[in-house]
Amino acid sequence: MSTAEKPKSGLVLPGGTIGMLGSGQLGRMTTIAAKYMGYRVHVFSPDKDSPAGQVADVEIQGDYADTGALEAFAKQVDVVTLEFENLPVAALETAGRHALVHPGIATLSKTQNRSLEKNFLKQQAIPTCQFQIVRSLQDLKLAQGLLPGILKTTTDGYDGKGQIVIRDPAEIESAWQSIQTSEAILESFVEFDFEFSVVAARNSAGQFAAYPAITNEHKNQILDVSYSPSNLDAGLNDKAIEITRDIMEALDTIGVLCVEFFCCGDKILVNEIAPRPHNSGHLTIEGHVTSQFEQQVRAVCGLPLGATCQKQPVAMANLLGQHLNDGQPHWDRALSMPGVKVHLYGKAKAVADRKMGHLVALAETNAQTRADALTARELIAAGESADAGDRAVRRNVSTIVKQLFL
Ligand code: ADP
Ligand code: MG
């Protein structure tokens, strides 16, 4: 579509073209949701045969710093969105000269830098952990009152990358040497009871819709398991949604955004903000009336948001490279559990800690969904004996039979 024909109203109807910056699994699942609704999708990233590119109409391989390539991409689409935050803000500025861009620069710039993000939370009087921005070894030594803590790079971190735990002052020097950055943030370690997230969406009309909170369990600082309903009490759930709404309104965010929280007794603290669909929200595909990916499409296209209510208890377990049994995963065993769904992202190489896919389990209770998602993951990597699988299948079938007939 030429620039002259671009929608001015902010409304991009099915049949229009969505441009996606980034091409990972979040882009893939957003693209699939967009395709269901009749949109065309063009993906732009430095990669080829990418998770999102495999399902998009057009995959463009380009550098985010290549203004000409970005302009050509943006001219072909009606609205540009993104699926990861480690993008130069200038890429959004360039795209914005030729197409609508959601989320916008304010949202991206504040959430891609931990220092700006934490200061923004402080300014908004939103509770978060104690922190100090540090630019030298000297700064870090002066901040040692915050220990034990975690030293994090302010940019480019994800899945625990760019983070070093510092337990006591004796570790300060080696931590500063190994983080290799000119600016970092030292966060005091939060002794939380559990972690949860709120995924929400906001459109150009200011309509806001949040999913109920989702409980998250991490292993080695990488999300491992999520489930919903969460174990958060109703009052704190409402408070967390209110905080999420305040953040989105302050940043004028259009699109899906996720706020990660720590729950400590009757207090909740914001951990971080992701300006896009989130790993913990994958379970909304099966568990909720509208998935976070469809919601992203609706929000960035200026459409009314879908219902966020939950249909039944649901859990999600990530599949990392190490869960795939050295390239011989037993998918059939996981799939023989009738309430389990397998999602794979089309990544060619299984590398340790790389997100290759995820499993979703639907059942009657949280305890059951969580157990089933973990059993399915074990079965994928289990040795020759499928006894555990047989037991899990029998139990799952009897649960479903009970749901149908009792
Ligand atoms: P990432 O961008 O890698 O997700 P996070 O800041 O969310 O970075 O850190 C990953 C995980 O590490 C968190 O979900 C939490 O489990 C743990 N973590 C991070 N910061 C803290 C903190 N200040 N106190 C306690 N745990 C933390
Ligand atoms: Mg995080």
Side-chain angles (χ1 to χ4, degrees):
M1 172 174 283
S2 75
T3 313
E5 298 160 9
K6 292 285 168 81
K8 298 261 179 303
S9 61
L11 191 63
V12 180
L13 292 170
T17 305
I18 299 172
M20 174 76 63
L21 291 169
S23 62
Q25 60 268 19
L26 299 171
R28 179 185 180 94
M29 290 182 271
T30 307
T31 300
I32 292 170
K35 299 304 295 176
Y36 263 102
M37 294 174 74
Y39 287 95
R40 297 180 67 81
V41 180
H42 293 200
V43 167
F44 184 105
S45 86
D47 301 321
K48 220 171 130 181
D49 192 31
S50 60
Q54 289 166 13
V55 294
D57 297 275
V58 177
E59 180 180 49
I60 301 157
Q61 197 181 13
D63 195 298
Y64 297 124
D66 183 343
T67 308
L70 277 168
E71 284 188 335
F73 156 76
K75 281 181 188 166
Q76 295 296 316
V77 305
D78 298 308
V79 57
V80 170
T81 187
L82 53 88
E83 61 105 52
F84 88 130
E85 57 271 37
N86 297 323
L87 282 172
V89 167
L92 292 199
E93 279 162 0
T94 303
R97 289 200 283 275
H98 303 282
L100 300 165
V101 176
H102 299 310
I105 288 170
T107 303
L108 181 71
S109 58
K110 286 276 191 301
T111 55
Q112 69 177 192
N113 181 306
R114 292 186 195 278
S115 148
L116 298 181
E117 183 174 285
K118 281 276 175 352
N119 280 321
F120 161 74
L121 292 170
K122 208 168 151 182
Q123 272 162 16
Q124 299 290 315
I126 294 172
T128 185
C129 65
Q130 286 184 284
F131 67 93
Q132 184 67 50
I133 312 300
V134 292
R135 297 192 175 82
S136 65
L137 177 60
Q138 178 69 5
D139 284 354
L140 190 55
K141 284 181 177 163
L142 288 171
Q144 64 175 259
L146 296 181
L147 299 182
I150 306 189
L151 185 65
K152 303 180 181 180
T153 55
T154 50
T155 55
D156 295 329
Y158 67 98
D159 290 343
K161 292 187 176 62
Q163 300 194 12
I164 299 169
V165 175
I166 310 182
R167 285 174 197 82
D168 70 80
E171 296 167 3
I172 284 181
E173 244 176 277
S174 65
W176 182 252
Q177 266 153 25
S178 50
I179 198 138
Q180 298 203 324
T181 182
S182 53
E183 185 189 71
I185 179 167
L186 177 66
E187 295 182 6
S188 203
F189 198 85
V190 178
E191 292 292 343
F192 53 80
D193 300 322
F194 63 94
E195 293 183 83
F196 68 93
S197 52
V198 171
V199 176
R202 187 169 171 270
N203 66 14
S204 46
Q207 188 191 0
F208 170 86
Y211 296 90
I214 299 162
T215 294
N216 299 320
E217 297 174 8
H218 290 78
K219 253 195 198 143
N220 302 325
Q221 286 147 296
I222 303 175
L223 185 64
D224 187 44
V225 176
S226 293
Y227 56 87
S228 181
S230 76
N231 32 8
L232 194 66
D233 85 51
L236 291 179
N237 182 76
D238 291 349
K239 195 170 165 192
I241 290 175
E242 213 175 285
I243 289 174
T244 306
R245 185 184 194 132
D246 289 346
I247 290 172
M248 294 182 85
E249 286 180 355
L251 297 173
D252 195 18
T253 306
I254 294 172
V256 166
L257 176 145
C258 174
V259 183
E260 297 178 13
F261 290 88
F262 298 127
C263 184
C264 317
D266 60 357
K267 288 199 179 55
I268 57 174
L269 302 181
V270 170
N271 168 29
E272 64 167 353
I273 306 169
R276 49 166 171 78
H278 189 262
N279 194 167
S280 62
H282 293 359
L283 50 70
T284 59
I285 294 179
E286 284 88 358
H288 296 67
V289 173
T290 310
S291 78
Q292 64 166 348
F293 302 105
E294 177 182 338
Q295 201 75 306
Q296 170 78 343
V297 172
R298 287 174 179 242
V300 304
C301 289
L303 297 172
L305 302 177
T308 49
C309 24
Q310 183 157 359
K311 295 189 282 190
Q312 75 175 106
V314 60
M316 186 261 351
N318 269 333
L319 285 171
L320 305 180
Q322 62 268 37
H323 297 129
L324 301 192
N325 193 33
D326 290 333
Q328 307 275 308
H330 298 290
W331 301 122
D332 51 331
R333 292 185 188 164
L335 289 168
S336 65
M337 296 174 71
V340 167
K341 309 284 180 184
V342 174
H343 294 249
L344 290 170
Y345 307 147
K347 296 182 186 178
K349 220 168 160 210
V351 176
D353 288 349
R354 185 173 197 208
K355 289 175 179 167
M356 304 301 291
H358 68 268
L359 298 169
V360 170
L362 297 157
E364 279 177 286
T365 62
N366 269 349
Q368 195 65 62
T369 58
R370 186 182 173 284
D372 285 353
L374 291 173
T375 301
R377 192 167 69 184
E378 278 165 27
L379 289 174
I380 285 169
E384 283 318 301
S385 160
D387 284 359
D390 291 343
R391 276 201 306 279
V393 171
R394 278 198 299 275
R395 194 188 58 229
N396 216 303
V397 169
S398 78
T399 308
I400 285 175
V401 168
K402 262 191 249 152
Q403 279 174 342
L404 287 175
F405 297 109
L406 296 183

